[in-house]
PDB file of all heavy atoms in Angstrom:
ATOM      1  N   VAL X 163      78.793 -18.075 159.078  1.00 88.00           N
ATOM      2  CA  VAL X 163      79.256 -18.778 157.894  1.00 88.00           C
ATOM      3  C   VAL X 163      78.337 -18.418 156.740  1.00 88.00           C
ATOM      4  O   VAL X 163      77.112 -18.535 156.852  1.00 88.00           O
ATOM      5  CB  VAL X 163      79.239 -20.314 158.130  1.00 88.00           C
ATOM      6  CG1 VAL X 163      79.631 -21.060 156.872  1.00 88.00           C
ATOM      7  CG2 VAL X 163      80.139 -20.682 159.294  1.00 88.00           C
ATOM      8  N   LYS X 164      78.920 -17.997 155.633  1.00 88.00           N
ATOM      9  CA  LYS X 164      78.151 -17.662 154.436  1.00 88.00           C
ATOM     10  C   LYS X 164      77.902 -18.953 153.656  1.00 88.00           C
ATOM     11  O   LYS X 164      78.828 -19.692 153.337  1.00 88.00           O
ATOM     12  CB  LYS X 164      78.936 -16.650 153.596  1.00 88.00           C
ATOM     13  CG  LYS X 164      78.195 -16.160 152.392  1.00 88.00           C
ATOM     14  CD  LYS X 164      77.300 -15.013 152.746  1.00 88.00           C
ATOM     15  CE  LYS X 164      76.773 -14.380 151.474  1.00 88.00           C
ATOM     16  NZ  LYS X 164      75.482 -13.796 151.617  1.00 88.00           N
ATOM     17  N   VAL X 165      76.619 -19.226 153.373  1.00 85.00           N
ATOM     18  CA  VAL X 165      76.223 -20.417 152.634  1.00 85.00           C
ATOM     19  C   VAL X 165      75.250 -19.973 151.553  1.00 85.00           C
ATOM     20  O   VAL X 165      74.082 -19.691 151.831  1.00 85.00           O
ATOM     21  CB  VAL X 165      75.552 -21.470 153.552  1.00 85.00           C
ATOM     22  CG1 VAL X 165      75.218 -22.726 152.765  1.00 85.00           C
ATOM     23  CG2 VAL X 165      76.437 -21.806 154.731  1.00 85.00           C
ATOM     24  N   GLY X 166      75.733 -19.858 150.333  1.00 81.00           N
ATOM     25  CA  GLY X 166      74.895 -19.338 149.259  1.00 81.00           C
ATOM     26  C   GLY X 166      74.482 -17.913 149.579  1.00 81.00           C
ATOM     27  O   GLY X 166      75.314 -17.075 149.903  1.00 81.00           O
ATOM     28  N   ASP X 167      73.174 -17.658 149.524  1.00 82.00           N
ATOM     29  CA  ASP X 167      72.648 -16.323 149.810  1.00 82.00           C
ATOM     30  C   ASP X 167      72.330 -16.107 151.290  1.00 82.00           C
ATOM     31  O   ASP X 167      71.748 -15.088 151.648  1.00 82.00           O
ATOM     32  CB  ASP X 167      71.372 -16.080 148.988  1.00 82.00           C
ATOM     33  CG  ASP X 167      71.666 -16.017 147.499  1.00 82.00           C
ATOM     34  OD1 ASP X 167      72.805 -15.679 147.130  1.00 82.00           O
ATOM     35  OD2 ASP X 167      70.757 -16.315 146.708  1.00 82.00           O
ATOM     36  N   ALA X 168      72.688 -17.055 152.121  1.00 90.00           N
ATOM     37  CA  ALA X 168      72.358 -16.970 153.553  1.00 90.00           C
ATOM     38  C   ALA X 168      73.628 -16.900 154.393  1.00 90.00           C
ATOM     39  O   ALA X 168      74.685 -17.374 153.992  1.00 90.00           O
ATOM     40  CB  ALA X 168      71.536 -18.180 153.973  1.00 90.00           C
ATOM     41  N   THR X 169      73.480 -16.326 155.563  1.00 93.00           N
ATOM     42  CA  THR X 169      74.545 -16.319 156.551  1.00 93.00           C
ATOM     43  C   THR X 169      74.031 -17.064 157.771  1.00 93.00           C
ATOM     44  O   THR X 169      73.009 -16.694 158.348  1.00 93.00           O
ATOM     45  CB  THR X 169      74.938 -14.872 156.929  1.00 93.00           C
ATOM     46  OG1 THR X 169      75.339 -14.189 155.731  1.00 93.00           O
ATOM     47  CG2 THR X 169      76.078 -14.862 157.911  1.00 93.00           C
ATOM     48  N   LEU X 170      74.730 -18.147 158.120  1.00 96.00           N
ATOM     49  CA  LEU X 170      74.325 -18.977 159.252  1.00 96.00           C
ATOM     50  C   LEU X 170      75.257 -18.731 160.433  1.00 96.00           C
ATOM     51  O   LEU X 170      76.458 -18.568 160.242  1.00 96.00           O
ATOM     52  CB  LEU X 170      74.372 -20.460 158.870  1.00 96.00           C
ATOM     53  CG  LEU X 170      73.507 -20.886 157.684  1.00 96.00           C
ATOM     54  CD1 LEU X 170      73.742 -22.352 157.345  1.00 96.00           C
ATOM     55  CD2 LEU X 170      72.041 -20.636 157.968  1.00 96.00           C
ATOM     56  N   PRO X 171      74.701 -18.725 161.641  1.00 96.00           N
ATOM     57  CA  PRO X 171      75.563 -18.536 162.814  1.00 96.00           C
ATOM     58  C   PRO X 171      76.390 -19.788 163.083  1.00 96.00           C
ATOM     59  O   PRO X 171      75.995 -20.888 162.735  1.00 96.00           O
ATOM     60  CB  PRO X 171      74.559 -18.297 163.945  1.00 96.00           C
ATOM     61  CG  PRO X 171      73.328 -19.013 163.511  1.00 96.00           C
ATOM     62  CD  PRO X 171      73.295 -18.895 162.012  1.00 96.00           C
ATOM     63  N   SER X 172      77.578 -19.602 163.689  1.00 96.00           N
ATOM     64  CA  SER X 172      78.380 -20.779 164.030  1.00 96.00           C
ATOM     65  C   SER X 172      77.843 -21.494 165.262  1.00 96.00           C
ATOM     66  O   SER X 172      78.183 -22.637 165.485  1.00 96.00           O
ATOM     67  CB  SER X 172      79.827 -20.443 164.281  1.00 96.00           C
ATOM     68  OG  SER X 172      80.194 -19.187 164.110  1.00 96.00           O
ATOM     69  N   THR X 173      76.983 -20.827 166.004  1.00 95.00           N
ATOM     70  CA  THR X 173      76.354 -21.441 167.174  1.00 95.00           C
ATOM     71  C   THR X 173      74.850 -21.159 167.132  1.00 95.00           C
ATOM     72  O   THR X 173      74.441 -20.045 166.824  1.00 95.00           O
ATOM     73  CB  THR X 173      76.936 -20.866 168.483  1.00 95.00           C
ATOM     74  OG1 THR X 173      78.351 -21.068 168.486  1.00 95.00           O
ATOM     75  CG2 THR X 173      76.337 -21.533 169.695  1.00 95.00           C
ATOM     76  N   LEU X 174      74.077 -22.181 167.426  1.00 93.00           N
ATOM     77  CA  LEU X 174      72.624 -22.058 167.507  1.00 93.00           C
ATOM     78  C   LEU X 174      72.237 -22.303 168.962  1.00 93.00           C
ATOM     79  O   LEU X 174      72.617 -23.323 169.542  1.00 93.00           O
ATOM     80  CB  LEU X 174      71.961 -23.089 166.596  1.00 93.00           C
ATOM     81  CG  LEU X 174      70.444 -23.104 166.515  1.00 93.00           C
ATOM     82  CD1 LEU X 174      69.928 -21.815 165.881  1.00 93.00           C
ATOM     83  CD2 LEU X 174      69.975 -24.300 165.691  1.00 93.00           C
ATOM     84  N   THR X 175      71.537 -21.353 169.561  1.00 91.00           N
ATOM     85  CA  THR X 175      71.126 -21.499 170.955  1.00 91.00           C
ATOM     86  C   THR X 175      69.613 -21.592 171.021  1.00 91.00           C
ATOM     87  O   THR X 175      68.901 -20.783 170.444  1.00 91.00           O
ATOM     88  CB  THR X 175      71.613 -20.309 171.802  1.00 91.00           C
ATOM     89  OG1 THR X 175      73.038 -20.216 171.678  1.00 91.00           O
ATOM     90  CG2 THR X 175      71.245 -20.489 173.263  1.00 91.00           C
ATOM     91  N   PHE X 176      69.151 -22.620 171.727  1.00 89.00           N
ATOM     92  CA  PHE X 176      67.720 -22.838 171.907  1.00 89.00           C
ATOM     93  C   PHE X 176      67.495 -23.283 173.345  1.00 89.00           C
ATOM     94  O   PHE X 176      68.084 -24.274 173.793  1.00 89.00           O
ATOM     95  CB  PHE X 176      67.210 -23.906 170.929  1.00 89.00           C
ATOM     96  CG  PHE X 176      65.738 -24.163 171.025  1.00 89.00           C
ATOM     97  CD1 PHE X 176      64.825 -23.257 170.486  1.00 89.00           C
ATOM     98  CD2 PHE X 176      65.255 -25.297 171.656  1.00 89.00           C
ATOM     99  CE1 PHE X 176      63.469 -23.489 170.573  1.00 89.00           C
ATOM    100  CE2 PHE X 176      63.893 -25.536 171.747  1.00 89.00           C
ATOM    101  CZ  PHE X 176      63.000 -24.627 171.203  1.00 89.00           C
ATOM    102  N   LYS X 177      66.684 -22.522 174.085  1.00 88.00           N
ATOM    103  CA  LYS X 177      66.390 -22.830 175.494  1.00 88.00           C
ATOM    104  C   LYS X 177      67.663 -23.109 176.286  1.00 88.00           C
ATOM    105  O   LYS X 177      67.793 -24.150 176.933  1.00 88.00           O
ATOM    106  CB  LYS X 177      65.411 -23.996 175.591  1.00 88.00           C
ATOM    107  CG  LYS X 177      64.035 -23.656 175.055  1.00 88.00           C
ATOM    108  CD  LYS X 177      63.026 -24.722 175.398  1.00 88.00           C
ATOM    109  CE  LYS X 177      61.651 -24.291 174.914  1.00 88.00           C
ATOM    110  NZ  LYS X 177      60.626 -25.238 175.264  1.00 88.00           N
ATOM    111  N   GLU X 178      68.606 -22.210 176.178  1.00 86.00           N
ATOM    112  CA  GLU X 178      69.870 -22.255 176.904  1.00 86.00           C
ATOM    113  C   GLU X 178      70.790 -23.396 176.478  1.00 86.00           C
ATOM    114  O   GLU X 178      71.822 -23.636 177.094  1.00 86.00           O
ATOM    115  CB  GLU X 178      69.632 -22.274 178.420  1.00 86.00           C
ATOM    116  CG  GLU X 178      68.913 -21.031 178.910  1.00 86.00           C
ATOM    117  CD  GLU X 178      68.658 -21.035 180.395  1.00 86.00           C
ATOM    118  OE1 GLU X 178      69.341 -21.766 181.137  1.00 86.00           O
ATOM    119  OE2 GLU X 178      67.770 -20.272 180.821  1.00 86.00           O
ATOM    120  N   GLN X 179      70.437 -24.133 175.431  1.00 91.00           N
ATOM    121  CA  GLN X 179      71.301 -25.190 174.884  1.00 91.00           C
ATOM    122  C   GLN X 179      72.025 -24.624 173.668  1.00 91.00           C
ATOM    123  O   GLN X 179      71.385 -24.202 172.711  1.00 91.00           O
ATOM    124  CB  GLN X 179      70.467 -26.402 174.477  1.00 91.00           C
ATOM    125  CG  GLN X 179      71.259 -27.496 173.777  1.00 91.00           C
ATOM    126  CD  GLN X 179      72.232 -28.206 174.701  1.00 91.00           C
ATOM    127  OE1 GLN X 179      71.854 -28.686 175.762  1.00 91.00           O
ATOM    128  NE2 GLN X 179      73.487 -28.257 174.313  1.00 91.00           N
ATOM    129  N   SER X 180      73.349 -24.596 173.721  1.00 94.00           N
ATOM    130  CA  SER X 180      74.138 -24.110 172.590  1.00 94.00           C
ATOM    131  C   SER X 180      74.646 -25.288 171.774  1.00 94.00           C
ATOM    132  O   SER X 180      75.194 -26.243 172.326  1.00 94.00           O
ATOM    133  CB  SER X 180      75.330 -23.288 173.076  1.00 94.00           C
ATOM    134  OG  SER X 180      74.887 -22.071 173.605  1.00 94.00           O
ATOM    135  N   LEU X 181      74.450 -25.190 170.468  1.00 97.00           N
ATOM    136  CA  LEU X 181      74.908 -26.221 169.536  1.00 97.00           C
ATOM    137  C   LEU X 181      75.835 -25.563 168.524  1.00 97.00           C
ATOM    138  O   LEU X 181      75.585 -24.441 168.082  1.00 97.00           O
ATOM    139  CB  LEU X 181      73.715 -26.850 168.824  1.00 97.00           C
ATOM    140  CG  LEU X 181      72.671 -27.509 169.729  1.00 97.00           C
ATOM    141  CD1 LEU X 181      71.438 -27.903 168.919  1.00 97.00           C
ATOM    142  CD2 LEU X 181      73.262 -28.732 170.421  1.00 97.00           C
ATOM    143  N   ASP X 182      76.895 -26.268 168.147  1.00 97.00           N
ATOM    144  CA  ASP X 182      77.869 -25.730 167.207  1.00 97.00           C
ATOM    145  C   ASP X 182      77.573 -26.222 165.795  1.00 97.00           C
ATOM    146  O   ASP X 182      77.139 -27.356 165.592  1.00 97.00           O
ATOM    147  CB  ASP X 182      79.284 -26.156 167.606  1.00 97.00           C
ATOM    148  CG  ASP X 182      79.718 -25.551 168.924  1.00 97.00           C
ATOM    149  OD1 ASP X 182      79.381 -24.369 169.155  1.00 97.00           O
ATOM    150  OD2 ASP X 182      80.375 -26.249 169.719  1.00 97.00           O
ATOM    151  N   LEU X 183      77.872 -25.355 164.836  1.00 97.00           N
ATOM    152  CA  LEU X 183      77.676 -25.697 163.431  1.00 97.00           C
ATOM    153  C   LEU X 183      78.594 -26.853 163.065  1.00 97.00           C
ATOM    154  O   LEU X 183      79.806 -26.772 163.216  1.00 97.00           O
ATOM    155  CB  LEU X 183      77.965 -24.482 162.544  1.00 97.00           C
ATOM    156  CG  LEU X 183      77.731 -24.661 161.053  1.00 97.00           C
ATOM    157  CD1 LEU X 183      76.255 -24.910 160.759  1.00 97.00           C
ATOM    158  CD2 LEU X 183      78.214 -23.434 160.300  1.00 97.00           C
ATOM    159  N   ASN X 184      78.009 -27.924 162.589  1.00 97.00           N
ATOM    160  CA  ASN X 184      78.755 -29.108 162.167  1.00 97.00           C
ATOM    161  C   ASN X 184      79.135 -28.995 160.694  1.00 97.00           C
ATOM    162  O   ASN X 184      80.247 -29.287 160.295  1.00 97.00           O
ATOM    163  CB  ASN X 184      77.913 -30.362 162.401  1.00 97.00           C
ATOM    164  CG  ASN X 184      78.692 -31.633 162.213  1.00 97.00           C
ATOM    165  OD1 ASN X 184      79.521 -31.965 163.043  1.00 97.00           O
ATOM    166  ND2 ASN X 184      78.448 -32.340 161.120  1.00 97.00           N
ATOM    167  N   GLY X 185      78.193 -28.562 159.883  1.00 95.00           N
ATOM    168  CA  GLY X 185      78.396 -28.402 158.449  1.00 95.00           C
ATOM    169  C   GLY X 185      77.203 -27.667 157.871  1.00 95.00           C
ATOM    170  O   GLY X 185      76.154 -27.567 158.512  1.00 95.00           O
ATOM    171  N   ALA X 186      77.368 -27.162 156.648  1.00 95.00           N
ATOM    172  CA  ALA X 186      76.286 -26.391 156.032  1.00 95.00           C
ATOM    173  C   ALA X 186      76.324 -26.577 154.519  1.00 95.00           C
ATOM    174  O   ALA X 186      77.379 -26.837 153.939  1.00 95.00           O
ATOM    175  CB  ALA X 186      76.426 -24.914 156.384  1.00 95.00           C
ATOM    176  N   GLY X 187      75.149 -26.451 153.909  1.00 94.00           N
ATOM    177  CA  GLY X 187      75.064 -26.589 152.465  1.00 94.00           C
ATOM    178  C   GLY X 187      73.791 -25.987 151.922  1.00 94.00           C
ATOM    179  O   GLY X 187      73.013 -25.376 152.661  1.00 94.00           O
ATOM    180  N   ILE X 188      73.587 -26.195 150.645  1.00 92.00           N
ATOM    181  CA  ILE X 188      72.437 -25.630 149.947  1.00 92.00           C
ATOM    182  C   ILE X 188      71.562 -26.758 149.413  1.00 92.00           C
ATOM    183  O   ILE X 188      72.056 -27.697 148.791  1.00 92.00           O
ATOM    184  CB  ILE X 188      72.906 -24.737 148.781  1.00 92.00           C
ATOM    185  CG1 ILE X 188      73.759 -23.587 149.318  1.00 92.00           C
ATOM    186  CG2 ILE X 188      71.723 -24.213 147.985  1.00 92.00           C
ATOM    187  CD1 ILE X 188      74.467 -22.787 148.237  1.00 92.00           C
ATOM    188  N   ARG X 189      70.266 -26.652 149.659  1.00 91.00           N
ATOM    189  CA  ARG X 189      69.296 -27.611 149.101  1.00 91.00           C
ATOM    190  C   ARG X 189      68.948 -27.130 147.704  1.00 91.00           C
ATOM    191  O   ARG X 189      68.429 -26.032 147.532  1.00 91.00           O
ATOM    192  CB  ARG X 189      68.040 -27.677 149.976  1.00 91.00           C
ATOM    193  CG  ARG X 189      66.868 -28.433 149.362  1.00 91.00           C
ATOM    194  CD  ARG X 189      67.152 -29.916 149.190  1.00 91.00           C
ATOM    195  NE  ARG X 189      65.933 -30.632 148.871  1.00 91.00           N
ATOM    196  CZ  ARG X 189      65.749 -31.293 147.714  1.00 91.00           C
ATOM    197  NH1 ARG X 189      66.677 -31.317 146.791  1.00 91.00           N
ATOM    198  NH2 ARG X 189      64.618 -31.930 147.517  1.00 91.00           N
ATOM    199  N   LYS X 190      69.280 -27.978 146.743  1.00 85.00           N
ATOM    200  CA  LYS X 190      69.017 -27.646 145.346  1.00 85.00           C
ATOM    201  C   LYS X 190      68.035 -28.648 144.765  1.00 85.00           C
ATOM    202  O   LYS X 190      68.024 -29.813 145.138  1.00 85.00           O
ATOM    203  CB  LYS X 190      70.310 -27.707 144.528  1.00 85.00           C
ATOM    204  CG  LYS X 190      71.365 -26.732 144.981  1.00 85.00           C
ATOM    205  CD  LYS X 190      72.658 -26.948 144.225  1.00 85.00           C
ATOM    206  CE  LYS X 190      73.755 -26.062 144.782  1.00 85.00           C
ATOM    207  NZ  LYS X 190      75.051 -26.389 144.226  1.00 85.00           N
ATOM    208  N   LYS X 191      67.214 -28.163 143.863  1.00 80.00           N
ATOM    209  CA  LYS X 191      66.331 -29.032 143.113  1.00 80.00           C
ATOM    210  C   LYS X 191      66.387 -28.535 141.680  1.00 80.00           C
ATOM    211  O   LYS X 191      66.114 -27.359 141.423  1.00 80.00           O
ATOM    212  CB  LYS X 191      64.912 -28.993 143.655  1.00 80.00           C
ATOM    213  CG  LYS X 191      64.040 -30.093 143.103  1.00 80.00           C
ATOM    214  CD  LYS X 191      62.815 -30.312 143.949  1.00 80.00           C
ATOM    215  CE  LYS X 191      62.079 -31.527 143.425  1.00 80.00           C
ATOM    216  NZ  LYS X 191      60.913 -31.799 144.205  1.00 80.00           N
TER     217      LYS X 191
END
């Protein structure tokens, strides 16, 4: 998923645990 200048994966895997992208956005100040 393209979010601003970044591309985020739809799945994040950590220690054999797969998590699905719930939502994404940009931190602005």
Side-chain angles (χ1 to χ4, degrees):
V163 176
K164 184 85 169 150
V165 183
D167 294 334
T169 302
L170 302 175
S172 357
T173 303
L174 181 66
T175 303
F176 182 76
K177 293 191 176 183
E178 299 180 21
Q179 174 69 53
S180 290
L181 301 171
D182 294 321
L183 183 65
N184 190 72
I188 299 170
R189 169 66 168 117
K190 298 174 186 171
K191 192 162 186 179

